[in-house]
Structure formats: C-alpha cells, structure tokens
Amino acid sequence: MPTIDRSPDHDLASTLRTALRSADPQLSKFDPLPRILAHDDFNSGLHGWVELGGNYNGKGEYSSLDRHFRDFRPPQLSSCDFFDVGTHGAMSGTYALKLATRPYPGHTATGIRRLTMSGRGLLQIEAYLAYKAEAVVDPAAENGFGDMAWDGNSHPSEAQFGAFTVATDLCGDDGIRYHTVARYQNADENGNMLRQWKYPTVPEPTPREHYEGKVDLPYAADFTAPDPDDWQVYGEPQELCMNEVPTKVNWHYLRWVIDTRTRRNVELQLNDRLMDWSDVPVPIYEERYGSLENLLNFYFSVRSLSGQRNFLYLDSVVISADW
Amino acid sequence: MVEDEFATEPFEVAWAGEARWFLQFLSEGAGEVSVRTQVSADGLVWVDHESPALSGPMRGVMTVPVSDFGHWLRLVVTPSSGDPSSLARVYLALKE
C-alpha cells in the first residue's frame, strides 16, 4: 500500500504548504496532496463539471447514443432553494453544484470533470457534499416509505434517496483503461435502508462495446455496472446526516485516494470513517482503448431508485496529486 | 420526442440575469407547437411566466428570451395541431 506522509514536518515545503493552507478559509477545510490540480468553488461557475454524455456518431445523431447514456441531465448551479426556508445557500457562499435526477426509478444524473495526467502516483479527490430526495408538499402523500415513517425524527424522504457515486475514468500506458468506483448505497428501490459502501467488480460498459454488439442496455440502467450481482459491499454500514427532512442541508467531507502508478485504490474517507481500500479490486478493460492517453476523469453521480427526484449537492471540490 | 405536452425538468437559475430558450426540431413535424415559460419559487409549484407563449411550425428553431424569472425555470411545450411527432432538442442558454 502506498504511504501518505501526513506529518506536518516531514519537510519544509510541506510545513509551508500546511501553514499557508490553514490561513486560507477556502482551502483549510481540505487536506490536499502537494499539487492541487483543481479547486472548484461553485460560487464562481461550473469549473468544467458537465453532464456525462455517451458517444454519438459522426453525424451527431441522438439515435446513435446508447439508450442508457442519453439522459444524464446537466449539472445546475444551485442556491439550494426549498419550499420552507427559501434560499439555504451552500456551505461556502450561495451556490453549490447540484446533480438532479428525473422522477424515474433508476434514473441517474451525472457530473464529470475531464483532465489528463501529467504524471503517475497518488491522486486524490475531496469534496463537501450533501444528498437529498426532493421535498413533497402534498396532503395526499404517503407518510412513510420503506423503512422510514414520519415520527417527528424519521422521514420517508430519507428512504427515497438511492445512491451517490464518485468514480474515475482513467487510461494510459498504451491504452490500459480502468475505473475506480466508490458508491454509497443509501436505500434500495423499496426504501429498505442499506447505508452501504459498494464497489463494482466489472468495468463500466462502454459505447464501443455497444457499437460492437456486446451490450445493449435499457434506459435508466445502472451505467456504472448494470448487474446488481457485480457490486460488492465494503465493510459495515455507515449512517450519514440526512437530518430528518428533505430541506435541511448538512455538508459531509469526502476524501478518496487512488494510485495511478499501480492502478489501485488506496483509501476512502467520509467524515470520521477512514476506510482502507487498498484491497478493493480495480477492474481493467481487457481490450485497449485509443484516443484516451493519460485520461483523467472524475465523475459524481446520483441515482434514484424510488422514483423520487434525487439530488447530490457539491459545495466545493479539490483534486490533487503527488506527482 | 414531441408527441404530447411536456415540461422540461426543474432548473435552478438564481445566478443568471439573462435566459433564452432554444427549441430545435431535429426532424420536421407536420403540426404546430406552443411554448411557454414557467417559473417557480421552490421547484415544486409552477406558474406561467408573464412573457407571452410562442407558437409556430415544428421546423427549424424557435427561441424565446426570458427576464425577471426568479430562481427556477422550465419550458412547457404543447403540440397544438396536426401530427406533432418530432425529435426536438431544448437548450436553456444562461448568462450572468
């Protein structure tokens, strides 16, 4: 397992970086590796986070897109508005990046950021995030869903949130392509609370595999790994702070490290849970890919299983590396 | 596909000072459509914006500017006559 030297005094440069960062209110809430590739504060725009789109043919025809890749919805700059409080605002400033699904079971919304690698080694993404199902204002609505019934503390909305995912799309060294993927599965389609971390054991189906007739997935399929049997649970469930109702936004710290030299996971942190992911396998495509040398993409996604609109909010994101 | 009336998904636009819809028909339909902008205070309850609805044949591009729209926008597309079947692309162009 690669080591991350987090001692503040392992060299002068590190000490200076730590001191400077601690004096910066925007960066001091992060713990980046030495080279910051991106610091995305969504008060100043989208910073390149865009809807993941499938590959289309040379004529630009929508009909050439994989069905399950056609409708991932564009990210929004959200002021976190709700029916009861008005504008909630983000953790820092007014705006967060919001991924919003359609009100359709299985629908996924995505935001992807496209970079390339100028080296190999440790690569880290950090984010402050919150997740919500869309609020309901309807006297005829159900007061419970799955495991969650309204009791003044529990709220059906919590069980209406499916999953959020952070993942990469990486390629290099003569076309070796792979994804690292971490998913928080909050609940299933029936509202049974799972609160599990998961990872897929197969690489994501690609448009080339569709073009070659190897896959043909329906609308709203799980594009990351469509077969539920291809997902493994990591560790014990982790309860997060959904905070009772769908209009309170509490921000969670996420930090995830991978190693692009060894093509391995390293560690995953969500708030106070630090998880050793060094043994979590990284499935690599058997075939080589062109046009992708040094590909470095991160994406976040949110998937509704209940059919209620699901939202993933990102206050800010830092991507850093040790190369 | 434009076949029945539909509304675009709720979109948060509090940051934007200008907005303009583009409705591009990728295949020509035989009928006409009417498009109107709706606004919302919370993304849940929607009401027509003060701007007039725009009607036209299902070919080329229809475009509508919107101002004074608050924090949420969506577009309602209503086929009004003829055979409305057409593949269309909706853009919402936003600027500070």
Side-chain angles (χ1 to χ4, degrees):
Chain A
M1 177 178 171
T3 56
I4 303 171
D5 188 348
R6 298 200 171 278
S7 61
D9 54 357
H10 78 275
D11 62 38
L12 179 60
S14 173
T15 304
L16 284 170
R17 273 196 305 274
T18 301
L20 289 168
R21 197 175 68 242
S22 67
D24 179 345
Q26 297 305 316
L27 272 179
S28 63
K29 59 179 177 285
F30 292 103
D31 190 13
L33 297 172
R35 180 181 289 192
I36 295 174
L37 301 178
H39 175 208
D40 302 332
D41 176 342
F42 299 108
N43 288 298
S44 54
L46 289 162
H47 290 265
W49 289 92
V50 68
E51 174 184 350
L52 170 59
N55 294 349
Y56 48 83
N57 67 14
K59 304 175 185 180
E61 293 172 317
Y62 277 157
S63 59
S64 63
L65 287 168
D66 298 25
R67 283 175 295 169
H68 74 294
F69 255 121
R70 290 180 188 178
D71 189 28
F72 287 152
R73 309 298 305 152
Q76 309 175 36
L77 293 176
S78 169
S79 45
C80 307
D81 283 18
F82 299 103
F83 78 92
D84 51 355
V85 296
T87 297
H88 198 302
M91 177 175 168
S92 32
T94 301
Y95 297 106
L97 190 78
K98 178 173 110 176
L99 309 181
T101 73
R102 287 185 185 273
Y104 187 92
H107 183 264
T108 301
T110 60
I112 189 168
R113 200 190 204 296
R114 297 188 168 110
L115 303 166
T116 53
M117 293 185 277
S118 58
R120 295 288 186 275
L122 295 179
L123 178 65
Q124 174 175 278
I125 188 166
E126 298 169 271
Y128 280 86
L129 61 82
Y131 62 99
K132 292 284 154 185
E134 186 174 52
V136 174
V137 183
D138 179 3
E142 296 291 330
N143 227 346
F145 181 69
D147 287 341
M148 305 298 275
W150 165 244
D151 66 0
N153 174 224
S154 299
H155 193 284
S157 176
E158 184 161 359
Q160 293 171 337
F161 185 87
F164 67 81
T165 303
V166 58
T168 59
D169 189 358
L170 299 158
C171 188
D173 311 315
D174 297 325
I176 300 173
R177 187 180 184 189
Y178 60 103
H179 301 273
T180 55
V181 179
R183 170 170 292 180
Y184 182 76
Q185 185 82 46
N186 178 65
D188 68 15
E189 63 273 19
N190 298 313
N192 299 306
M193 299 304 298
L194 302 174
R195 303 188 177 105
Q196 292 167 327
W197 288 101
K198 290 186 171 181
Y199 58 91
T201 56
V202 296
E204 175 188 311
T206 67
R208 188 171 76 181
E209 291 170 330
H210 177 229
Y211 181 81
E212 294 171 345
K214 297 175 180 173
V215 294
D216 185 15
L217 296 166
Y219 179 80
D222 182 355
F223 80 93
T224 304
D227 185 345
D229 291 338
D230 289 331
W231 289 85
Q232 294 290 316
V233 174
Y234 176 92
E236 297 299 312
Q238 180 180 10
E239 184 161 4
L240 304 183
C241 183
M242 189 271 185
N243 195 349
E244 302 182 313
V245 295
T247 57
K248 297 178 184 174
V249 178
N250 289 76
W251 299 96
H252 297 71
Y253 176 62
L254 171 85
R255 186 177 64 84
W256 185 39
V257 188
I258 61 173
D259 188 333
T260 61
R261 179 175 290 112
T262 58
R263 304 185 195 98
R264 298 288 299 270
N265 284 292
V266 178
E267 63 187 20
L268 174 65
Q269 179 180 355
L270 196 294
N271 280 354
D272 55 351
R273 175 81 63 97
L274 181 61
M275 296 168 269
D276 179 354
W277 269 48
S278 58
D279 289 331
V280 171
V282 176
I284 294 176
Y285 291 97
E286 291 182 4
E287 298 171 336
R288 297 295 174 256
Y289 276 78
S291 191
L292 300 177
E293 194 59 22
N294 282 312
L295 181 76
L296 194 179
N297 291 347
F298 276 104
Y299 74 78
F300 287 92
S301 71
V302 54
R303 187 162 191 246
S304 174
L305 297 172
S306 63
Q308 190 75 0
R309 286 190 183 92
N310 281 189
F311 308 136
L312 180 67
Y313 297 90
L314 301 168
D315 168 79
S316 44
V317 176
V318 168
I319 299 170
S320 57
D322 75 346
W323 60 67
Chain B
M1 290 297 293
V2 180
E3 292 173 328
D4 303 311
E5 179 176 276
F6 73 92
T8 58
E9 282 291 288
F11 208 82
E12 290 202 51
V13 293
W15 61 272
E18 297 180 30
R20 178 176 284 273
W21 294 104
F22 294 87
L23 178 61
Q24 179 183 4
F25 295 101
L26 302 177
S27 61
E28 193 166 315
E32 291 202 345
V33 292
S34 173
V35 297
R36 67 185 195 279
T37 299
Q38 290 195 322
V39 291
S40 175
D42 55 14
L44 301 174
V45 179
W46 296 86
V47 62
D48 286 347
H49 186 256
E50 296 87 344
S51 58
L54 181 69
S55 297
M58 299 174 72
R59 62 174 178 268
V61 179
M62 299 173 74
T63 183
V64 187
V66 194
S67 58
D68 299 325
F69 42 77
H71 289 189
W72 298 79
L73 278 176
R74 73 177 186 180
L75 187 70
V76 179
V77 180
T78 309
S80 54
S81 66
D83 175 7
S85 181
S86 174
L87 183 64
R89 179 156 50 204
V90 180
Y91 291 98
L92 174 57
L94 299 163
K95 293 167 68 175
E96 287 186 309

